[in-house]
Amino acid sequence: MHEKPTHVVSAVVLQARSGQLQVLLWQRRQPPFDGAFALPGGYLLPGETLEDSIRRHLAEKVDVRELSHIEQLVTTSDPARHPSEWQVATAYLGLVPSDLDPTLPSDTSWHRVADLPETAFDHGVIISTGRERLRAKLSYTNIGFALAPHSFSISELRDLYTAALEHEVSATNLQRVLLRRELLEATGELRHSGPSGGRPAALYRFRSRTLSITDQFAVLRPPGQHG
Amino acid sequence: MHEKPTHVVSAVVLQARSGQLQVLLWQRRQPPFDGAFALPGGYLLPGETLEDSIRRHLAEKVDVRELSHIEQLVTTSDPARHPSEWQVATAYLGLVPSDLDPTLPSDTSWHRVADLPETAFDHGVIISTGRERLRAKLSYTNIGFALAPHSFSISELRDLYTAALEHEVSATNLQRVLLRRELLEATGELRHSGPSGGRPAALYRFRSRTLSITDQFAVLRPPGQHG
DNA sequence: GCAAAAGTGTTGTGTCTACACCCATGT
DNA sequence: ACATGGGTGTAGACACAACACTTTTGC
């Protein structure tokens, strides 16, 4: 037999909250990285898959049914990652719809990804990886479903995209892009105007709430495939 | 202490060979999957990173300097993956330029990804994952450098893209797309015509031979960024 | 009526595909 | 000369951004 690494799992859980993309972190109270903020996660146990494992660990932080999407990000293996233990770590990306506000343990809270506190281990770069993955997939998949409530107005959806992409998004063009690609469908209902007036907004939903690729060929399309 | 999984690494090594995308496999001569074909790889050892480890294992099959690109694909963890050992397995994608023909051990050979023999473990789906990753990145990155020799004509490059994408590619349009994006530059040299005549082909090279994203925003660009 | 918010019409631009046509070489 | 393969010119389709304009509400 040879020596084996300990396998740990963690998750970058993202949510668009009050116009900002935020990530779930807990504050460590023991070395290493005492006081720093870390991704939720823990050890992989016998008999479970990595995805089972991260769902189990997240269940201690949030109700797992509130996760609208989860996917694997990357596995890191720097032997110097942990000072006293040989660890291999697999990170996941998890998304929570904007209309949920899970109750959290006292050591756990949301932090704006644009203004992170000091993070433990390699968690800072892993958060960046997760943010970039989300950003890219907003462009060529239907992953917006995982940030949005079941039903929403276009301008509400625009605010979610703006938070996640970290740049302005035009509601006009967002509507046309997502409708042309048949990602959205109207529910037929309207959102009533607020006290300051304005035309009532039509409500939409995502046609599918499982990940699918919608812009398969960025370029170099096969012959005969227009658009 | 708790029980730990064994960590193994493997690689989907791809090359465009005689007009077909091919993958490096070795034939197992012991259970499990006796006789089936498997990806090269092996155990992770203390003190090495996953990428170190797969490079070390591949060195037993091919000269590692011949790998033009390597990137992590996915980590799988099905507890039933191996009948007698709890394994976590990280797979990499490796690419070999088309002008090299590494000498291989007797148990190892190239196989067309479009016509695979029976594969061991979950290696069949991992090969598909690698092929899809390559296909997608050919569209929005400069990863073509990793399939191509240092210098090539446009029609030679077209043949490599055709093999990897598994559909026809127009040399005319490939040239324009890659030149407009400034991925290619002319070397100034010409390929002499063959015995059947024809205009000599201009030779090109990739400007960079490290991966970079060239079509960052498939859609939903920030304002002011023309497409 | 007027402000506010949502939604549509329309124009312009850049990128890609398709295909006709021209260029340079070997026999 | 003519076949062969390489390269350019050009037109059309499409998706997107930008912005003006219209619609529908609250006060």
Side-chain angles (χ1 to χ4, degrees), chain B residues 1-226:
Chain B
M1 263 334 277
H2 57 266
E3 197 184 338
K4 296 176 181 179
T6 298
H7 204 110
V8 297
V9 293
S10 63
V12 180
V13 178
L14 298 177
Q15 184 183 30
R17 297 173 65 84
S18 49
Q20 300 266 356
L21 193 64
Q22 303 200 23
V23 60
L24 204 60
L25 298 174
W26 65 282
Q27 188 166 24
R28 292 179 64 87
R29 288 299 178 204
Q30 73 271 34
F33 296 99
D34 190 356
F37 287 84
L39 295 173
Y43 291 107
L44 177 68
L45 297 185
E48 64 183 5
T49 65
L50 288 165
E51 187 171 324
D52 289 342
S53 185
I54 189 58
R55 286 184 185 276
R56 174 174 60 80
H57 287 290
L58 286 179
E60 300 167 9
K61 305 288 183 184
V62 296
D63 186 336
V64 178
R65 291 169 301 185
E66 296 174 330
L67 282 174
S68 46
H69 177 68
I70 191 165
E71 69 179 56
Q72 191 179 297
L73 273 180
V74 68
T75 300
T76 55
S77 58
D78 181 357
R81 168 192 164 86
H82 192 286
S84 59
E85 187 174 65
W86 181 28
Q87 287 190 348
V88 175
T90 298
Y92 278 78
L93 171 65
L95 299 175
V96 175
S98 64
D99 58 332
L100 301 180
D101 192 13
T103 57
L104 301 176
S106 62
D107 65 349
T108 305
S109 56
W110 295 99
H111 296 262
R112 295 191 298 276
V113 295
D115 181 27
L116 286 179
E118 193 188 350
T119 51
F121 306 104
D122 48 7
H123 290 184
V125 293
I126 290 175
I127 293 167
S128 294
T129 304
R131 181 162 42 117
E132 286 309 308
R133 177 78 61 94
L134 171 61
R135 205 209 289 250
K137 287 203 166 178
L138 281 173
S139 208
Y140 67 89
T141 75
N142 66 342
I143 204 170
F145 79 84
L147 295 177
H150 272 82
S151 155
F152 45 83
S153 71
I154 295 296
S155 65
E156 288 163 0
L157 188 65
R158 184 263 315 271
D159 292 343
L160 301 178
Y161 273 69
T162 301
L165 294 172
E166 294 176 280
H167 64 71
E168 290 303 305
V169 174
S170 147
T172 297
N173 293 329
L174 183 66
Q175 177 183 39
R176 280 203 266 245
V177 168
L178 298 184
L179 282 176
R180 175 151 27 83
R181 295 188 170 179
E182 300 186 313
L183 293 195
L184 298 185
E185 61 188 4
T187 66
E189 301 187 26
L190 298 180
R191 162 98 62 245
H192 293 333
S193 316
S196 61
R199 176 171 168 176
L203 295 184
Y204 293 83
R205 70 171 78 92
F206 277 89
R207 280 178 180 270
S208 163
R209 295 183 70 83
T210 56
L211 189 67
S212 64
I213 294 174
T214 59
D215 187 28
Q216 188 168 14
F217 307 106
V219 68
L220 301 175
R221 293 172 181 75
Q225 312 264 339
H226 269 293

Side-chain angles (χ1 to χ4, degrees), chain A residues 172-173 176-177 180-181 193-195 197-200 226-227:
Chain A
T172 297
N173 293 329
R176 279 201 267 245
V177 168
R180 175 156 22 85
R181 295 188 170 180
S193 316
R199 176 171 168 175
H226 271 293

Side-chain angles (χ1 to χ4, degrees), chain A residues 144-224:
Chain A
F145 78 84
L147 295 176
H150 277 265
S151 156
F152 46 82
S153 71
I154 295 295
S155 64
E156 289 162 359
L157 188 64
R158 184 262 316 271
D159 292 342
L160 302 177
Y161 274 69
T162 300
L165 295 172
E166 295 177 279
H167 64 71
E168 289 303 306
V169 175
S170 146
T172 297
N173 293 329
L174 182 67
Q175 178 184 38
R176 279 201 267 245
V177 168
L178 299 184
L179 282 175
R180 175 156 22 85
R181 295 188 170 180
E182 299 185 314
L183 292 197
L184 298 185
E185 60 188 5
T187 65
E189 302 189 23
L190 297 180
R191 162 96 63 246
H192 293 332
S193 316
S196 62
R199 176 171 168 175
L203 296 185
Y204 293 84
R205 70 171 79 93
F206 278 89
R207 279 178 180 272
S208 163
R209 294 183 70 84
T210 57
L211 189 67
S212 64
I213 293 173
T214 59
D215 187 29
Q216 187 168 15
F217 307 105
V219 67
L220 301 174
R221 292 171 183 76

